């Protein structure tokens, strides 16, 4: 692939399937039949990959605790790309997840040089208001990194388990990288693990919905979660071909191992630094026992975080969507009339001439207008399929399609911006002070 993706300056991704091999991301398609009431990002294969999301599906389907967490760096306008993540958070919240949203002001300060005052203003007036307007419920948790002592304390502890070589390999840090930038990356890991702290209900599956450029944060945090835990469990084979489990101490006190011996299912034997458990096939029961003992002895017992990855939207003029090019994106705070103009100026998958369009049909897969409808504007799958078919067979012309999409976008922005004003009056319900 010859691309080092990182959260701050990755190249565009041309072949998402390469991420499966290059970064160990698993394809999402096989999981879709197991998901009740899938959202449009799932139904339409916009979410293309995952890590450990099967744990979250099991929790959703069996009414077990799980969390959803993601964050936003307050460095500019909130746009349709951010809306995708917000929609995914809100959907998981509706499916029973405890929802967490972090405003990454420490990252914005260290990476972009944005003042603390501007971080807070942008965080509230752009991101938080839109998040609430889209349907985020007050039972969720919204916080600024710089105002959370819990995040700072956890980031400090995680830093003991991280080193420069590892972070350089993941993020591409060099000798020119400032220290605060590195610390902000640890804050991201603390954000991701925050839902599993005892104050937030303890260990549980937690999904982080992100674009593929944020995967370095997931990889670092999954590694740190393993390192922070006191135990690891290994499945081993005996000479007679039977299997047993060995609970190995990484940093646990000897008393914790003794308790695991007493509580473990099956026949347990205590050795120096480990407990071997025989005559049990119930790995989940053993895992829960180990987790409870670790918590009792002051550990974290983190469940390595799960993640989902969605495809990026292309820019309205083709190529990448860029915050430095306002015509390439639609912000949720844009004047609705300006969004109409942007859509009508956007790149389509139409042919050079009207006659060619009628004869050959358009190419919706290469059309930024169809993409906006696919990602955001048309909820009904049958309606979307109709538009795709009529474009492909030459029945629907680009001008009419643009006008339809522009009207839908205008209606959405008018309604959304009214909801944003209503959300401002509800900030206190979420513990946010302007």
């Amino acid at each position: 692939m010859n691309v080092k993706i990182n959260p701050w300056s990755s190249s565009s991704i041309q072949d998402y399937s390469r991420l499966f091999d290059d970064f160990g991301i698993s394809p999402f398609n096989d999981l879709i039949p197991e998901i009740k009431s899938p959202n449009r990002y799932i139904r339409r294969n916009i979410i293309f990959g995952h890590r450990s999301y099967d744990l979250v599906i099991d929790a959703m389907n069996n009414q077990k605790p799980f969390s959803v967490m993601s964050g936003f760096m307050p460095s500019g306008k909130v746009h349709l790309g951010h809306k995708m993540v917000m929609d995914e958070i809100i959907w998981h919240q509706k499916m029973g997840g405890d929802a967490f949203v972090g405003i990454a002001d420490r990252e914005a300060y260290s990476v972009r040089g944005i003042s603390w005052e501007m971080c807070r203003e942008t965080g509230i007036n752009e991101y938080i208001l839109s998040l609430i307007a889209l349907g985020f419920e007050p039972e969720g948790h919204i916080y600024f990194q710089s105002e959370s002592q819990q995040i700072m304390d956890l980031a400090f502890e995680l830093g003991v388990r991280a080193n420069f070589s590892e972070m350089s390999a993941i993020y591409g840090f060099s000798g020119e990288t400032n220290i605060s930038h590195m610390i902000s990356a640890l804050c991201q890991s603390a954000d991701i693990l925050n839902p599993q702290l005892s104050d937030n209900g303890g260990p549980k599956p937690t999904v982080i919905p992100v674009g593929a450029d944020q995967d370095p944060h997931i990889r670092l945090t999954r590694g740190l979660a393993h390192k922070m835990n006191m135990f690891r469990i290994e499945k081993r084979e005996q000479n007679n071909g039977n299997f047993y489990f060995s609970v190995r101490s990484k940093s646990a006190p000897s008393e914790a191992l003794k308790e695991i011996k007493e509580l473990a299912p099956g026949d347990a034997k205590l050795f120096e630094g480990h407990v071997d458990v025989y005559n049990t096939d119930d790995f989940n029961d053993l895992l829960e026992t180990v987790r409870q003992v670790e918590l009792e002895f002051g550990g974290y017992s983190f469940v390595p975080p799960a993640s989902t990855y969605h495809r990026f939207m292309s820019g309205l003029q083709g190529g990448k969507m860029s915050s430095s090019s306002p015509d390439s994106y639609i912000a949720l705070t844009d004047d609705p009339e300006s969004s109409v103009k942007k859509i009508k100026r956007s790149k389509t998958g139409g042919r050079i001439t009207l006659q060619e369009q009628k004869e050959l049909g358009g190419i919706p897969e290469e059309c930024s207008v169809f993409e906006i409808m696919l990602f955001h504007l048309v909820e009904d799958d049958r309606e979307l399929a109709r538009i795709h078919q009529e474009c492909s067979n030459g029945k629907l012309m680009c001008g009419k399609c643009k006008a339809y999409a522009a009207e839908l976008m205008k209606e959405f922005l008018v309604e959304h911006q009214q909801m944003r004003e209503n959300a401002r009056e509800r900030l206190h319900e979420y513990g946010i002070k302007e």
Side-chain angles (χ1 to χ4, degrees):
M1 197 168 172
N2 297 320
V3 173
K4 176 177 275 294
I5 59 173
N6 71 62
W8 307 288
S9 59
S10 64
S11 301
S12 60
I13 297 172
Q14 303 300 325
D15 183 1
Y16 285 93
S17 65
R18 292 293 302 275
L19 298 176
F20 302 145
D21 295 327
D22 290 4
F23 296 100
I25 293 172
S26 300
F28 198 84
N29 279 349
D30 293 344
L31 300 181
I32 295 177
E34 303 174 34
I35 300 172
K36 301 174 182 178
S37 304
N39 60 47
R40 64 177 173 274
Y41 301 119
I42 295 173
R43 298 194 311 268
R44 298 172 183 176
N45 296 312
I46 294 168
I47 294 176
F48 69 90
H50 76 99
R51 294 185 191 273
S52 302
Y53 192 66
D54 51 309
L55 298 178
V56 178
I57 294 175
D58 176 69
M60 282 196 295
N61 290 346
N62 294 289
Q63 290 76 54
K64 294 189 289 189
F66 75 96
S67 292
V68 57
M69 189 279 151
S70 203
F72 302 94
M73 181 167 64
S75 59
K77 285 185 169 293
V78 59
H79 54 63
L80 292 176
H82 300 118
K83 176 181 175 292
M84 291 173 62
V85 177
M86 293 178 180
D87 285 341
E88 291 176 57
I89 294 170
I90 291 165
W91 179 79
H92 281 97
Q93 188 181 42
K94 290 178 179 178
M95 297 297 287
D98 194 10
F100 293 75
V101 173
I103 302 300
D105 54 348
R106 287 184 177 267
E107 182 184 23
Y109 182 86
S110 65
V111 179
R112 304 283 188 239
I114 300 172
S115 70
W116 297 114
E117 293 79 9
M118 183 58 68
C119 283
R120 182 166 185 80
E121 180 179 332
T122 303
I124 293 175
N125 294 318
E126 291 287 335
Y127 296 88
I128 294 176
L129 288 181
S130 278
L131 178 69
I132 297 172
L134 289 169
F136 189 85
E137 295 293 340
E139 292 77 17
H141 315 264
I142 305 174
Y143 63 90
F144 286 80
Q145 286 178 333
S146 64
E147 297 176 5
S148 173
Q149 189 61 48
Q150 190 165 249
I151 295 297
M152 292 302 100
D153 290 345
L154 181 55
F156 184 84
E157 288 197 53
L158 295 174
V160 175
R161 304 291 183 174
N163 58 58
F164 176 76
S165 295
E166 178 184 19
M167 297 187 72
S168 178
I170 292 174
Y171 293 105
F173 289 158
S174 69
E176 302 301 314
T177 305
N178 71 66
I179 301 299
S180 291
H181 189 166
M182 299 178 200
I183 293 173
S184 77
L186 289 172
C187 288
Q188 307 285 350
S189 292
D191 286 329
I192 291 169
L193 294 173
N194 178 38
Q196 298 192 57
L197 296 180
S198 58
D199 289 350
N200 295 321
K204 54 187 168 295
T206 302
V207 58
I208 320 299
V210 290
D213 61 336
Q214 301 297 306
D215 185 55
H217 291 319
I218 307 300
R219 297 201 306 272
L220 174 66
T221 308
R222 284 172 65 89
L224 290 174
H226 281 295
K227 291 178 182 178
M228 292 291 287
N229 291 345
M230 290 181 176
F231 302 98
R232 69 178 185 275
I233 304 176
E234 299 176 354
K235 187 176 183 180
R236 297 189 170 190
E237 187 174 2
Q238 302 180 69
N239 293 333
N240 61 8
N242 293 329
F243 290 90
Y244 68 99
F245 296 107
S246 185
V247 181
R248 319 291 293 189
S249 169
K250 295 191 291 181
S251 59
S254 58
E255 293 301 315
L257 281 170
K258 292 178 182 178
E259 184 153 347
I260 287 176
K261 176 188 179 299
E262 296 301 320
L263 298 177
D267 301 322
K269 294 183 179 180
L270 176 64
F271 299 91
E272 182 69 27
H274 63 99
V275 174
D276 291 346
V277 183
Y278 305 88
N279 301 323
T280 181
D281 294 323
D282 197 339
F283 173 79
N284 289 330
D285 192 8
L286 175 60
L287 177 61
E288 184 59 29
T289 297
V290 171
R291 282 179 176 161
Q292 292 305 316
V293 171
E294 178 167 339
L295 293 172
E296 180 183 337
F297 281 83
Y300 289 108
S301 196
F302 289 128
V303 179
S307 50
T308 59
Y309 303 93
H310 57 252
R311 292 192 281 121
F312 295 120
M313 292 185 66
S314 56
L316 294 177
Q317 303 301 320
K320 291 180 63 178
M321 185 181 293
S322 172
S323 59
S324 62
S325 176
D327 280 345
S328 74
Y329 68 88
I330 293 175
L332 303 188
T333 51
D334 274 352
D335 175 69
E337 291 295 339
S338 75
S339 75
V340 171
K341 294 177 182 177
K342 287 183 180 182
I343 288 177
K344 290 187 175 181
R345 292 196 300 263
S346 62
K347 176 182 177 294
T348 71
R351 304 292 178 172
I352 296 175
T353 67
L354 187 63
Q355 187 61 34
E356 285 187 19
Q357 180 90 356
K358 290 180 178 179
E359 293 176 356
L360 302 176
I363 309 174
E365 291 79 12
E366 297 180 5
C367 178
S368 62
V369 177
F370 181 77
E371 188 178 62
I372 290 176
M373 292 190 284
L374 172 75
F375 280 56
H376 297 287
L377 296 180
V378 178
E379 182 64 32
D380 189 321
D381 292 342
R382 291 172 298 180
E383 171 70 3
L384 189 72
R386 180 192 65 78
I387 294 168
H388 186 281
Q389 181 179 12
E390 292 186 0
C391 172
S392 299
N393 65 22
K395 183 178 180 180
L396 179 62
M397 298 296 106
C398 292
K400 184 176 180 181
C401 190
K402 281 185 174 182
Y404 179 55
E407 185 60 31
L408 291 177
M409 179 58 70
K410 180 179 176 181
E411 290 175 2
F412 165 73
L413 289 180
V414 168
E415 180 181 1
H416 179 70
Q417 289 169 16
Q418 180 57 55
M419 296 296 290
R420 279 172 53 87
E421 290 306 309
N422 296 341
R424 189 179 298 280
E425 299 175 3
R426 300 178 58 212
L427 285 172
H428 66 280
E429 297 179 34
Y430 299 80
I432 304 295
K433 297 180 181 179
E434 286 195 86

